Amino acid sequence: MPRRRTSSSSSSSTAPSAAPAAPRNRTPQPVRVRRRSFGDFVKAFLAFVVLLALVVGVPLALAVAIGWPLPNGAPGLDWLQREITVQTFLHILTVIVWLAWAQFTACVLVEVKAALSGVGVPGRVPGSGPSQLLARQLVAALLLVGATAASLTPGLSQLGQSLEGNQKPAVAAAQQTPGLFAQQQEQAASTANALAEQAGQAGQDAARADGGGSAAHGDTKYYRIQPPEGRHHDSLWEVADRHLGDGRRYKEIFELNKDRVQPDGSKLSEASLIRPGWIMEMPGDARGGELVEMPDEAPNVSEQVQQQISDYARTGGDHAQGGGGAQGGGDAHVSLPEQRPAPTPATPVTPATPAPGPATGGQHATPAAEESGRSFGLPEALLAAPLLAAGLLGALGRRRRQALWHSALGAVGGRRGMEPPTPTGDAQDAQDALLVGADPDGVRLLDRSLRGLAASLAAESRALPVVYAAWMGGNGDLHLQLAQPAGKPPTPWQVGQDQTFWMLARADAERYEEAETAAPYPGLVSLGTMDDSRLLLNLEAVPGLVSLSGAEADRAAVFASVAAELATNGWSDRMTITLVGFGDDLTPLAPNRIRHLDGFEDLFETMSAETRQRRGALGAAGHDSVLTGRTGPAQHTRWAPHLVLLAAQPSDEDALRLAELAADAGRLGIGYLVGTEGTDLPGAAWEMEITGDGKLLAPLLGLELEAQLLPAAQQRAVVELFTDADPERGPGGPANTPPFLVDISEQGRPAVYARLVGSYEIIGLDAPDGDRSAQLHEALALLLLHREGVHPRVLASALWPRGVTEDVRDALLERLRAWLGTDPDGTPRLGTDATGRLTLAKSVVSDLDVLRSLYYEATQGRGVDSRQVRGRLLTDALVLVRGPLLADRPEGRYRWLTHEIIDAQLPLLVADTGLALSEFHLERGRAEKAIEALNAALRTAPADERLWHELLRATHATEDADRLRALAADLIGRSGARGLPPRTEALLDELLPTWRDGVAAAG
């Protein structure tokens, strides 16, 4: 049996090893906890002496040697005529020294406050660049004794957790201000490198002193979790990086201790839920700490702890016996209320599946979402991006409605009633994935919550706080991470885990009403998920650049996702998105928002001018930042953000120019996301890396996210959906052929007939029994509206918007098949096509199918050559119209109709039918019949301007002036305060020149 070893966990002050330029060697290296050296204390003492001399000694020396330099009373006019003496000159110099001392003291206070409170980037003291830099270095040297460089590095690293039984759901949230200025990054990096080198050398010396065999892979070690020091809370990632040379090996620690009973009776169920006093079994190659042979030989471990370790060892079973076979290990630390949940490992790393190495050459590669390809036939990348999917789906619906109206007005090739194209192949899969993955309720709640917050702050005459990030929890709660404390949030918002968090519960968010205010944080964009929480980064608030490194294909997937969500999200008003080096094909997603530039010179010319313009506009308006322009009297200006996405690697010269350009970007509402091949981009406030397995890493921020991606294949498919729906495609677009034509002859009588236009009725089937009747009717309606086929997951998401298990879905499909039955030849009326989509047999028909087929036959089929046939077909079609679609549908059901465009298609189809029938009657001089047909169509399409125009012409044809005036008065009354449309006014001027006199008399 391997010997057991125990150790108290090392202090969290050891800095992580700096990443080398070459791919990291994953062979575990012996690392020993680095203790503070004598040199550290000397540096801290000298820094203290210098600070004491400058902050306390200077004013004392001035007070003793010079005294009060200013006059004791108000000077008279004769004071200006006196001769300047040496004493006067000394007094002037004394005043200058006092001012310099006050400025330096303010810098020291600012730096000390930032370092001790952990809010991150210190505030700027005006005009004190060198003074503040000196103060920062002295304070850092002084605090190095009590905290490490890592603990001073701000990061998005903390999440809300409950200590007692985890009663509150874990919600990811960032504790400290992310990002460092360039000088802070350089200082932190050099300190980390020095500490790592000293720690590595010390660990090697300890290994040699141990004879090289006392910590072999066959040993089992146990660590006891210690409380965190100060405000710095460690994580399994940092521990694995410190003790195993690779932070990704935290998964092995989790696997060794998962679901084992801890001394307090609880269990480790998530990598984030770790507490002080817990025991962690460590793999045999772990290094660091004071290793001993057995728990009872530990010099700093009490008998109680020794017994806890012994008891814990017995709970491990195979873990306790075979721990040495693991690939790595490390410490673990408590998950306080501020502690973030570390990501739950998707694929636990075992000896048989070693930790993935860095990508090399062209073999890196494909993100996990694209590698797995599809989930049950659908793109996983779109299924896992609910906010992005909701934005794309909403924008696609608006684009298709716009195309329908263009078609109806004859703007596209003169094809009235153009049917939108039915997607096929990858585009069809992408559309289905959008339908399944979209979370419109989440977008609605996010938008209402943010606008409600802005309205509440405006009512209190308070400015919007700077928000760096937002976390949306799986339970719907919203956490905002502020750049600095901003006081008590307005009700119903609450203070989160500390003063830099504002939290809104989902129940409170659902009570928000629509607020007439500008979108406060339009620059929020999804980056990925950690556990069940989604991180949205506020790109326009970053104090500098955001860099993204990694393989080119992986970076492109992140950039495409960010661009697509920014272009279509539902929590923004206006926005400009400039794409450089990529994305010329993404413009169709939002032509009014997206623009593409070819190179850096165009970017510098454009952004330099806009930066100057925004600075001037803010100064003229008296605003400190764009946030103060989004609340209060000036909110009408909106101050729309401008977000720049640069996928191309900038040269060294371009990178410096870009850093200068972005120095003040956060205040101006301009954000920059820059793709790099390395991690040394000048001026980068936040540095991120996308890996080949779809992880988004930000070590300085303490983040490992499941990245939100839009790989190239899904990007092409989404763009295809938008280009096919473009109303400006012209005559070469899709033809006006319905997706399903019915045999309208007597021989084509259907076996099952459903009335959808009006109240929902089904003829040919018995009423289903049981509680599933409503769901069966709803499922049938969805299938009838999509004769091209419905993916099973789309059907499930439509009936159960909050999700359902596969067995429940499959059980409903079996009941639906049994209810619909079979045709006389034994063919099931509910079938499955080659792609796995559910389809209805031709014997199952709806009145909407018949209406489309009648109109098509009348205008493009048999009715073209026969006036009599055309009139009969159009009359039969208009008789089918009994009201709006599914007029009596129960409240709370058929919510999927919001994603459809049938609400726009049906009124246009009815209007086209009424117009065609009116034209048929007017050709025969039957004005009354034409008026009857138009009034029937208006009952379903009352907002169609074309119907009112034809009704005016038909009424004019009756030569009844009073009737025409009455119709004109009715139209004027319906128009309300907006007035009549210009085309309607022009038509009335032609048909009834005196109509304006009636309006003036009525006014």
Side-chain angles (χ1 to χ4, degrees):
M1 174 178 177
R3 290 176 297 175
R4 295 179 300 180
R5 295 178 180 272
T6 183
S7 169
S8 297
S9 66
S10 59
S11 170
S12 63
S13 62
T14 305
S17 302
R24 176 180 292 174
N25 184 354
R26 295 186 179 274
T27 303
Q29 299 294 327
V31 179
R32 189 176 179 181
V33 178
R34 187 256 181 187
R35 299 184 181 278
R36 298 174 182 86
S37 66
F38 177 74
D40 292 336
F41 287 97
V42 172
K43 292 178 183 178
F45 176 74
L46 293 176
F48 174 76
V49 171
V50 173
L51 284 173
L52 189 65
L54 293 177
V55 176
V56 180
V58 168
L60 289 178
L62 290 174
V64 172
I66 305 297
W68 184 249
L70 299 178
N72 295 325
L77 294 177
D78 59 340
W79 178 81
L80 298 176
Q81 301 175 355
R82 294 179 182 175
E83 182 181 358
I84 299 178
T85 64
V86 175
Q87 191 66 24
T88 303
F89 184 71
L90 289 177
H91 283 178
I92 294 174
L93 289 180
T94 303
V95 171
I96 295 174
V97 174
W98 272 107
L99 292 176
W101 169 83
Q103 184 187 59
F104 179 77
T105 303
C107 295
V108 172
L109 294 176
V110 167
E111 295 295 332
V112 170
K113 178 181 179 295
L116 295 181
S117 64
V119 297
V121 178
R124 294 182 180 179
V125 178
S128 60
S131 298
Q132 189 161 6
L133 178 59
L134 176 60
R136 181 177 306 155
Q137 293 173 342
L138 292 174
V139 170
L142 178 61
L143 295 181
L144 185 61
V145 175
T148 66
S151 67
L152 293 176
T153 301
L156 293 169
S157 62
Q158 309 301 325
L159 292 190
Q161 292 291 346
S162 172
L163 282 175
E164 300 301 329
N166 302 312
Q167 296 173 1
K168 295 182 180 180
V171 177
Q175 180 193 20
Q176 296 175 329
T177 303
L180 294 172
F181 289 120
Q183 294 172 341
Q184 290 173 298
Q185 286 181 307
E186 183 178 354
Q187 180 182 356
S190 61
T191 305
N193 288 335
L195 292 175
E197 183 178 356
Q198 294 173 7
Q201 184 62 42
Q204 293 173 6
D205 295 342
R208 286 193 294 269
D210 193 35
S214 64
H217 280 258
D219 296 334
T220 302
K221 306 177 183 70
Y222 292 92
Y223 283 71
R224 184 173 184 269
I225 308 306
Q226 300 296 315
E229 292 187 1
R231 291 179 56 87
H232 181 67
H233 303 279
D234 213 338
S235 68
L236 292 184
W237 172 283
E238 293 166 326
V239 169
D241 186 65
R242 186 163 59 242
H243 292 284
L244 298 169
D246 189 350
R248 302 180 199 181
R249 296 185 63 186
Y250 79 91
K251 300 176 183 179
E252 301 170 42
I253 309 173
F254 175 77
E255 285 301 310
L256 284 174
N257 298 276
K258 181 180 179 182
D259 296 329
R260 295 172 64 178
V261 179
Q262 293 291 336
D264 61 359
S266 55
K267 296 181 180 180
L268 176 65
S269 58
E270 296 184 32
S272 60
L273 304 181
I274 49 180
R275 304 179 182 177
W278 279 11
I279 308 299
M280 289 287 135
E281 179 182 341
M282 308 303 298
D285 62 341
R287 296 294 185 272
E290 298 174 357
L291 299 179
V292 298
E293 294 297 326
M294 293 292 289
D296 55 4
E297 299 179 11
N300 297 321
V301 176
S302 65
E303 293 183 1
Q304 180 184 3
V305 174
Q306 296 172 12
Q307 185 61 42
Q308 289 176 353
I309 296 175
S310 299
D311 294 341
Y312 185 74
R314 289 193 291 270
T315 67
D318 294 338
H319 283 296
Q321 300 295 330
Q327 291 287 318
D331 300 333
H333 284 264
V334 63
S335 177
L336 291 177
E338 301 87 1
Q339 177 71 21
R340 76 177 184 277
T344 303
T347 305
V349 180
T350 66
T353 59
T360 56
Q363 297 179 350
H364 91 278
T366 318
E370 185 151 11
E371 191 172 315
S372 61
R374 305 167 188 275
S375 176
F376 195 32
L378 300 181
E380 184 66 34
L382 295 174
L383 293 174
L387 303 184
L388 169 62
L392 289 171
L393 200 59
L396 182 60
R398 291 190 294 272
R399 180 68 55 83
R400 287 175 172 172
R401 286 179 172 84
Q402 184 182 11
L404 284 173
W405 281 105
H406 274 246
S407 170
L409 296 175
V412 182
R415 296 190 304 276
R416 295 191 305 170
M418 179 187 71
E419 293 288 342
T422 300
T424 58
D426 290 342
Q428 186 178 22
D429 289 345
Q431 177 175 275
D432 287 343
L434 295 177
L435 290 168
V436 174
D439 182 14
D441 286 341
V443 172
R444 176 180 58 85
L445 287 177
L446 177 61
D447 182 49
R448 287 190 177 183
S449 300
L450 296 177
R451 293 181 193 267
L453 173 64
S456 299
L457 290 171
E460 299 176 6
S461 299
R462 296 170 60 186
L464 288 166
V466 177
V467 169
Y468 278 144
W471 289 92
M472 293 187 67
N475 60 351
D477 292 350
L478 176 63
H479 289 239
L480 298 182
Q481 180 216 351
L482 312 184
Q484 58 188 7
K488 181 180 179 181
T491 305
W493 289 78
Q494 302 174 8
V495 174
Q497 55 217 45
D498 60 38
Q499 294 297 321
T500 61
F501 291 97
W502 285 1
M503 187 273 288
L504 181 68
R506 181 186 179 96
D508 294 327
E510 290 176 341
R511 290 193 287 268
Y512 262 123
E513 301 293 337
E514 297 287 347
E516 292 296 330
T517 186
Y521 303 112
L524 286 170
V525 63
S526 303
L527 290 184
T529 57
M530 178 183 289
D531 288 343
D532 63 344
S533 298
R534 182 169 301 276
L535 170 66
L536 290 89
L537 187 66
N538 191 5
L539 279 179
E540 69 165 336
V542 178
L545 305 175
V546 179
S547 69
L548 176 68
S549 61
E552 183 177 358
D554 300 323
R555 295 201 316 263
V558 175
F559 273 98
S561 171
V562 170
E565 185 170 297
L566 289 173
T568 61
N569 72 54
W571 54 88
S572 303
D573 294 324
R574 296 182 299 112
M575 182 187 300
T576 301
I577 307 165
T578 298
L579 310 181
V580 183
F582 83 107
D584 54 340
D585 57 337
L586 292 175
T587 305
L589 301 184
N592 295 331
R593 285 192 179 187
I594 296 179
R595 67 179 180 183
H596 179 265
L597 297 180
D598 293 329
F600 283 93
E601 289 304 321
D602 293 338
L603 174 67
F604 290 134
E605 180 180 354
T606 301
M607 297 311 300
S608 296
E610 179 159 353
T611 299
R612 290 192 300 270
Q613 186 273 333
R614 290 200 174 210
R615 283 177 180 155
L618 283 176
H623 297 310
D624 296 330
S625 72
V626 295
L627 291 180
T628 58
R630 290 179 185 157
T631 55
Q635 65 174 316
H636 64 278
T637 59
R638 302 294 180 176
W639 298 103
H642 189 157
L643 304 177
V644 182
L645 309 182
L646 301 93
Q649 167 77 31
S651 65
D652 293 342
E653 181 181 355
D654 290 338
L656 291 175
R657 294 172 64 189
L658 196 60
E660 294 178 0
L661 198 60
D664 200 24
R667 187 176 67 90
L668 304 177
I670 302 176
Y672 294 88
L673 177 62
V674 185
T676 64
E677 297 176 359
T679 58
D680 54 352
L681 182 69
W686 299 341
E687 295 181 346
M688 300 182 295
E689 176 190 359
I690 179 66
T691 66
D693 57 353
K695 302 289 186 182
L696 190 66
L697 309 179
L700 286 179
L701 309 180
L703 290 178
E704 180 185 8
L705 303 173
E706 293 289 341
Q708 179 171 296
L709 307 172
L710 186 59
Q714 280 75 64
Q715 177 183 332
R716 289 191 298 268
V718 168
V719 171
E720 181 181 342
L721 290 173
F722 279 81
T723 54
D724 286 347
D726 188 355
E728 305 296 336
R729 292 190 67 192
N736 180 28
T737 302
F740 177 70
L741 291 174
V742 177
D743 184 358
I744 57 177
S745 65
E746 287 295 327
Q747 294 75 20
R749 185 178 298 274
V752 178
Y753 183 70
R755 292 178 175 175
L756 304 179
V757 185
S759 58
Y760 191 2
E761 300 176 14
I762 298 178
I763 301 172
L765 290 176
D766 296 331
D769 297 329
D771 298 334
R772 299 294 184 183
S773 175
Q775 286 184 324
L776 292 174
H777 280 79
E778 187 174 357
L780 179 57
L782 178 62
L783 290 166
L784 286 167
L785 292 177
H786 290 277
R787 302 303 305 227
E788 72 276 9
V790 176
H791 197 285
R793 294 195 64 177
V794 174
L795 180 66
S797 66
L799 300 181
W800 295 279
R802 297 189 177 183
V804 70
T805 58
E806 291 187 10
D807 55 341
V808 174
R809 179 198 66 202
D810 294 341
L812 179 73
L813 291 179
E814 289 304 317
R815 281 191 290 269
L816 183 59
R817 285 192 177 93
W819 180 43
L820 292 176
T822 60
D823 285 334
D825 61 357
T827 303
R829 290 171 181 157
L830 178 62
T832 305
D833 65 9
T835 65
R837 289 174 171 81
L838 303 169
T839 58
L840 292 173
K842 292 185 177 181
S843 59
V844 183
V845 172
S846 73
D847 55 355
L848 185 58
D849 296 327
V850 177
L851 176 60
R852 285 170 171 158
S853 299
L854 288 171
Y855 177 76
Y856 178 81
E857 281 293 324
T859 57
Q860 300 184 48
R862 291 177 296 161
V864 174
D865 299 324
S866 172
R867 289 176 49 84
Q868 182 178 3
V869 171
R870 181 167 73 254
R872 177 173 57 82
L873 293 174
L874 290 173
T875 301
D876 291 345
L878 208 54
V879 170
L880 293 175
V881 181
R882 301 176 298 119
L885 186 76
L886 298 169
D888 58 351
R889 59 181 180 266
E891 185 177 357
R893 304 204 68 89
Y894 297 88
R895 298 177 64 182
W896 46 269
L897 282 172
T898 59
H899 301 314
E900 306 284 343
I901 61 169
I902 186 62
D903 61 330
Q905 287 177 287
L906 179 59
L908 286 176
L909 178 59
V910 172
D912 286 344
T913 303
L915 291 170
L917 187 56
S918 171
E919 181 183 3
F920 170 79
H921 288 306
L922 288 176
E923 288 176 354
R924 294 293 184 89
R926 298 195 289 260
E928 293 295 339
K929 288 287 187 181
I931 293 174
E932 182 181 348
L934 292 169
N935 282 327
L938 279 169
R939 285 193 287 271
T940 299
D944 197 312
E945 187 181 355
R946 299 171 302 158
L947 290 174
W948 290 105
H949 291 175
E950 289 304 311
L951 185 59
L952 285 171
R953 293 188 179 96
T955 304
H956 180 265
T958 63
E959 299 182 352
D960 187 340
D962 292 337
R963 190 174 180 181
L964 184 59
R965 278 193 291 270
L967 178 59
D970 184 29
L971 268 176
I972 295 170
R974 290 173 181 270
S975 64
R978 293 176 299 175
L980 293 173
R983 292 184 181 181
T984 304
E985 287 188 356
L987 182 60
L988 281 174
D989 288 337
E990 176 187 348
L991 302 179
L992 187 65
T994 61
W995 73 276
R996 298 182 187 273
D997 298 336
V999 174

